[in-house]
Amino acid sequence: MRYRVRREGRVALAFALMLVTATAACGSDDSAAGSSDELTYWSMWQEKEPQAQVIAQAIEAFEQDTGITVNVEWQGRDNITKLLAALRGGDVPDLIDQQYFTISNAIVGNDQFTPLGDVYDMEIPGEDLTVADALTDKYDMFTTADDGERFLVPYEVIGYTVWYDATALPDVAANPPATWDDFTALLADAKAAGRSGIALDADIAGYAEYWTSTALVRALGPGGFNELVSDEEAAGWDTPEVREALTAIEQLAAGAHFIPGYDSSKFPAVQTQWAQGDADFLYMGSWAPTETGEFAAPEFEYRSFNFPTLGSDDSLPASVIGFAIPGPADGADAASEFIAYFLNKDRLSPISTDAANLTPRADIDVPPQLADVNELLQSKSLSKITDGVLGDHSDFDTKIFQPLNLELMTGRVSVDEFIEQIAAQQRDYWENQG
């Protein structure tokens, strides 16, 4: 077992929180027991981002309370790319964070992660709760490998919804669309009134993929899109359900419902235009208000609804951001202590109050602009954004599905051409996997 239970460390931490002046001595004892008095943390945030500032405050308190030094490097979104290189060289960080599928793709499939079951059993310093007690099991689908091992502890939750300005669209706020027909009727109304229906920065292939992958999940049910691309024979693409979903997406472009210039946009130009009222809807994660807030008019009221149904599925596409520990990490014990420390309600709450995002703790207040997303997170069953394909079949997703999807969403290929091309490329992909 690669993760060593560190009961000595837990006792030392609790003692340190009661008697801060004794932490240096506790740190010495820990070192004598083979544990770490420092850790290296490669964060996905850049230093000026709100989440980084929240985590930095927690690091400062953690160092004061425990005597453990945290060598944090604000790597930005490339932190996992750099981790993969480090894994080949042997000099890896002790702690990383990212969305679950990025971490899963990087270190779970190749067994380069530290199982975190013992971290879930750790008591949160300052509370009479374990990490597992503080988190709802609703997010287990994002934190647990196929063999049942925990590989991630979440500290931020993301729901993907269709955003709009309730001040500009009060009728939508009073009666949000539930079905695809309801939604396309709103798009037709917008077009008739001379407005653009949908904002999309299509240069971000992943953002465009949200539309088609969710439509496929709506048609096939959670897991259906993932199963579709897992088939080496690619036999499922030419079915009525898949055609219905792809045709729905094709008609968004054919009906000129996207904002002009979406196909040649430079992120974040179009989402900024949306915040300025140039389009009605934006399908995005719950970070949308944070990213667009500075461009929105003072009276802009952020509301959102679940992606419309195409069949019976009405699950909420979701994801989590959390901590993981690479398998070769020397400071896994110190990293584990920091994870449990940060999950304390008082230390985690600024992710909501200061960074304006959702947390996995139900006892932390929700930012007002995320009330709709949070209600959906609590009331709906959850599905993985992109149905988990981005994590489970990353190369297929980014090299085959996303480029072809952009062709479909910009009207450059028909549904028939899309199906023919993706089925052929999928068969080649799996054949090349050996």
Side-chain angles (χ1 to χ4, degrees), residues 109-269:
N110 55 7
D111 198 28
Q112 290 286 319
F113 71 102
T114 295
L116 300 182
D118 294 324
V119 179
Y120 277 81
D121 292 336
M122 290 175 71
E123 190 166 284
I124 296 175
E127 294 186 282
D128 189 21
L129 289 172
T130 66
V131 170
D133 292 336
L135 303 175
T136 170
D137 58 9
K138 199 164 190 177
Y139 305 125
D140 288 356
M141 63 190 300
F142 306 110
T143 63
T144 309
D146 290 342
D147 63 1
E149 292 278 18
R150 301 273 202 175
F151 67 89
L152 184 117
V153 176
Y155 65 78
E156 184 172 312
V157 177
I158 299 169
Y160 295 80
T161 50
V162 182
W163 292 90
Y164 64 97
D165 174 13
T167 301
L169 301 171
D171 291 344
V172 176
N175 186 28
T179 68
W180 192 257
D181 287 344
D182 295 340
F183 180 58
T184 53
L186 290 174
L187 296 180
D189 290 344
K191 187 176 180 180
R195 302 192 310 271
S196 295
I198 301 171
L200 172 66
D201 283 298
D203 61 326
I204 306 295
Y207 286 1
E209 180 187 11
Y210 295 162
W211 282 91
T212 309
S213 62
T214 308
L216 288 166
V217 171
R218 289 288 185 258
L220 301 172
F225 175 42
N226 202 314
E227 182 178 351
L228 186 64
V229 303
S230 301
D231 178 12
E232 297 180 10
E233 300 300 322
W237 284 101
D238 195 6
T239 64
E241 296 82 3
V242 171
R243 280 185 171 275
E244 180 185 13
L246 295 177
T247 300
I249 298 301
E250 178 192 47
Q251 291 178 348
L252 295 178
H257 293 305
F258 290 112
I259 191 171
Y262 77 103
D263 53 346
S264 57
S265 66
K266 184 69 175 177
F267 171 83

Side-chain angles (χ1 to χ4, degrees), residues 43-358:
S43 176
M44 66 174 283
W45 306 108
Q46 295 180 341
E47 190 168 8
K48 292 184 178 180
E49 289 187 279
Q51 286 92 337
Q53 295 174 26
V54 171
I55 293 170
Q57 292 173 0
I59 288 173
E60 182 178 355
F62 178 73
E63 290 180 329
Q64 292 175 352
D65 286 348
T66 67
I68 297 174
T69 298
V70 180
N71 302 305
V72 59
E73 297 181 22
W74 306 108
Q75 300 265 7
R77 306 303 186 269
D78 290 337
N79 67 331
I80 301 302
T81 301
K82 294 174 181 176
L83 170 67
L84 291 173
L87 285 169
R88 291 191 290 271
D91 186 14
V92 302
D94 304 304
L95 182 66
I96 56 173
D97 59 4
Q98 257 285 5
Q99 285 209 57
Y100 86 92
F101 53 78
T102 303
I103 289 177
S104 173
N105 187 54
I107 61 174
V108 174
N110 55 7
D111 198 28
Q112 290 286 319
F113 71 102
T114 295
L116 300 182
D118 294 324
V119 179
Y120 277 81
D121 292 336
M122 290 175 71
E123 190 166 284
I124 296 175
E127 294 186 282
D128 189 21
L129 289 172
T130 66
V131 170
D133 292 336
L135 303 175
T136 170
D137 58 9
K138 199 164 190 177
Y139 305 125
D140 288 356
M141 63 190 300
F142 306 110
T143 63
T144 309
D146 290 342
D147 63 1
E149 292 278 18
R150 301 273 202 175
F151 67 89
L152 184 117
V153 176
Y155 65 78
E156 184 172 312
V157 177
I158 299 169
Y160 295 80
T161 50
V162 182
W163 292 90
Y164 64 97
D165 174 13
T167 301
L169 301 171
D171 291 344
V172 176
N175 186 28
T179 68
W180 192 257
D181 287 344
D182 295 340
F183 180 58
T184 53
L186 290 174
L187 296 180
D189 290 344
K191 187 176 180 180
R195 302 192 310 271
S196 295
I198 301 171
L200 172 66
D201 283 298
D203 61 326
I204 306 295
Y207 286 1
E209 180 187 11
Y210 295 162
W211 282 91
T212 309
S213 62
T214 308
L216 288 166
V217 171
R218 289 288 185 258
L220 301 172
F225 175 42
N226 202 314
E227 182 178 351
L228 186 64
V229 303
S230 301
D231 178 12
E232 297 180 10
E233 300 300 322
W237 284 101
D238 195 6
T239 64
E241 296 82 3
V242 171
R243 280 185 171 275
E244 180 185 13
L246 295 177
T247 300
I249 298 301
E250 178 192 47
Q251 291 178 348
L252 295 178
H257 293 305
F258 290 112
I259 191 171
Y262 77 103
D263 53 346
S264 57
S265 66
K266 184 69 175 177
F267 171 83
V270 169
Q271 74 173 30
T272 299
Q273 286 182 263
W274 169 78
Q276 294 171 338
D278 291 343
D280 285 0
F281 303 110
L282 175 74
Y283 184 33
M284 193 63 66
S286 43
W287 64 80
T290 302
E291 283 196 354
T292 63
E294 66 176 302
F295 306 106
E299 64 272 16
F300 195 106
E301 182 184 355
Y302 285 93
R303 297 290 304 273
S304 67
F305 54 82
N306 201 3
F307 193 91
T309 59
L310 280 161
S312 59
D313 173 63
D314 67 349
S315 62
L316 179 72
S319 180
V320 300
I321 293 172
F323 295 116
I325 301 175
D330 292 330
D333 46 6
S336 300
E337 291 194 8
F338 178 75
I339 293 171
Y341 186 87
F342 188 63
L343 265 288
N344 176 282
K345 180 181 177 183
D346 290 340
R347 288 182 279 273
L348 186 60
S349 288
I351 290 291
S352 171
T353 57
D354 296 2
N357 278 277
L358 298 167

Side-chain angles (χ1 to χ4, degrees), residues 414-433:
S414 67
V415 169
D416 285 340
E417 291 168 328
F418 178 89
I419 290 174
E420 180 181 358
Q421 291 181 35
I422 200 164
Q425 292 188 42
Q426 184 171 313
R427 286 191 290 270
D428 289 344
Y429 170 81
W430 285 113
E431 184 176 349
N432 291 333
Q433 299 304 304

